[in-house]
Amino acid sequence: MRFRAKIVDLACLNHFSRVINTIAKLAKTCTLRLTVGKLYFILSDKVANGGVTMWCELCQGNFFDEFQMEGVAAEHNEIYLELVPDNLSRALKTAQSAKAVKIKLTNKHCPCLRVAVELPSLSSSSRIVTHDIPVGIIPRKLWNDFREPSVPDFDVIEANLSGEMNLKIETDLVSVTTHFKDLGNPVWASEDGYQSSAQDRDLESMAEARIDIKKLQQLLAGQQVNPTKALCNIVSKRIVHFILLHEDVSLQYYIPALA
């Protein structure tokens, strides 16, 4: 089991740092899934117990100049690691003007992600700052716990299929509602290729979910992905599913509805 990667392009490095900063604000611990073509940052708290779920997917070719990995076995060519994203975020803060950043999975005293930051120097020799970030190796038998969550058919925290959405904030003293109109209703395709249809549904009927404002604020204040498109899907009285889309990153965030 091996992994090493290198980022040279400064724009790619800064973009990767912003993604990690976003994840660090959303999750204290998460799972890093490594495949040949992609990286996934996963938080899978039990929604039934009031936890949130996050799924962040990155194409490695859009960030890394070099990327080599060998999984646990030829037939299971993946690696699953448990880490504290804030540790990775703090390591990358030293790389804002770096010539290159190398990331490598090591196991000298304990499993670690070694982040080696090559900084500019006035002399001929480079300055290298190294951070060893402890990680946990997740065994193969637990991998199924970290698959992309499936979402039931949703009505598209109150919205209808006519492109109207209302965001309400209620306290004991005041109730404030912000109204959005002329929003798009994209066709949703499931994993089996089935596309949901609104032909037999009331376009004016509102789907709604009451959620914890702190969890919504955590997403809105923490995100640094700068998405080109954002989607909000509501499973009425059950869950609110946010998708932030960028050319290089997709971030999914699930907030369970309050009873």
Side-chain angles (χ1 to χ4, degrees):
M1 186 170 62
R2 299 177 181 177
F3 167 67
R4 65 172 63 212
K6 182 178 181 180
I7 304 178
V8 176
D9 186 272
L10 187 58
C12 293
L13 176 58
N14 289 335
H15 188 21
F16 183 68
S17 297
R18 288 193 296 269
V19 173
I20 301 303
N21 291 341
T22 297
I23 293 168
K25 293 179 183 298
L26 297 177
K28 292 182 178 180
T29 61
C30 71
T31 297
L32 171 59
R33 174 189 173 194
L34 300 168
T35 69
V36 172
K38 293 185 177 181
L39 300 84
Y40 304 84
F41 291 91
I42 306 165
L43 173 65
S44 57
D45 286 350
K46 298 296 184 181
V47 172
N49 297 331
V52 298
T53 299
M54 176 192 71
W55 180 272
C56 183
E57 181 176 328
L58 290 73
C59 293
Q60 61 90 357
N62 294 330
F63 294 89
F64 295 93
D65 297 272
E66 299 176 13
F67 191 93
Q68 301 174 7
M69 65 84 59
E70 296 178 12
V72 297
E75 65 275 19
H76 302 296
N77 194 21
E78 300 184 15
I79 300 173
Y80 284 71
L81 305 173
E82 184 179 43
L83 58 81
V84 177
D86 188 58
N87 290 340
L88 181 55
S89 175
R90 284 189 280 122
L92 292 174
K93 286 181 180 178
T94 65
Q96 294 179 357
S97 59
K99 295 172 61 177
V101 172
K102 297 179 181 179
I103 304 175
K104 180 181 180 181
L105 180 62
T106 65
N107 191 21
K108 288 188 176 180
H109 303 291
C110 67
C112 286
L113 275 182
R114 171 162 293 178
V115 179
V117 180
E118 182 180 352
L119 297 172
S121 174
L122 297 177
S123 65
S124 58
S125 60
S126 298
R127 292 187 298 144
I128 306 295
V129 178
T130 301
H131 307 265
D132 285 330
I133 301 172
V135 297
I137 307 296
I138 298 176
R140 171 74 183 87
K141 63 182 179 180
L142 299 179
W143 287 7
N144 285 336
D145 294 341
F146 303 100
R147 296 303 179 187
E148 182 173 6
S150 59
V151 180
D153 289 341
F154 38 71
D155 303 288
V156 168
I157 210 183
E158 178 183 71
N160 63 23
L161 291 171
S162 292
E164 299 173 329
M165 184 174 76
N166 301 324
L167 177 61
K168 300 180 180 179
I169 299 177
E170 299 176 347
T171 70
D172 294 337
L173 300 177
V174 67
S175 176
V176 179
T177 303
T178 302
H179 302 275
F180 300 87
K181 294 185 178 181
D182 300 321
L183 302 177
N185 288 126
V187 176
W188 182 265
S190 61
E191 291 183 354
D192 57 8
Y194 172 77
Q195 293 186 339
S196 61
S197 171
Q199 293 179 354
D200 301 326
R201 298 162 65 186
D202 182 0
L203 299 183
E204 303 298 326
S205 177
M206 286 288 189
E208 64 177 77
R210 183 185 297 269
I211 60 175
D212 186 341
I213 191 65
K214 292 181 181 179
K215 292 177 180 177
L216 176 59
Q217 182 185 30
Q218 186 179 29
L219 171 65
L220 298 179
Q223 79 82 19
Q224 298 179 27
V225 175
N226 299 324
T228 56
K229 182 181 292 186
L231 293 84
C232 174
N233 306 314
I234 300 173
V235 183
S236 198
K237 295 182 172 59
R238 291 178 59 191
I239 197 170
V240 179
H241 172 211
F242 293 95
I243 309 175
L244 305 183
L245 297 176
H246 186 277
E247 293 178 356
D248 303 322
V249 183
S250 67
L251 172 63
Q252 299 186 54
Y253 196 68
Y254 303 76
I255 304 178
L258 300 175

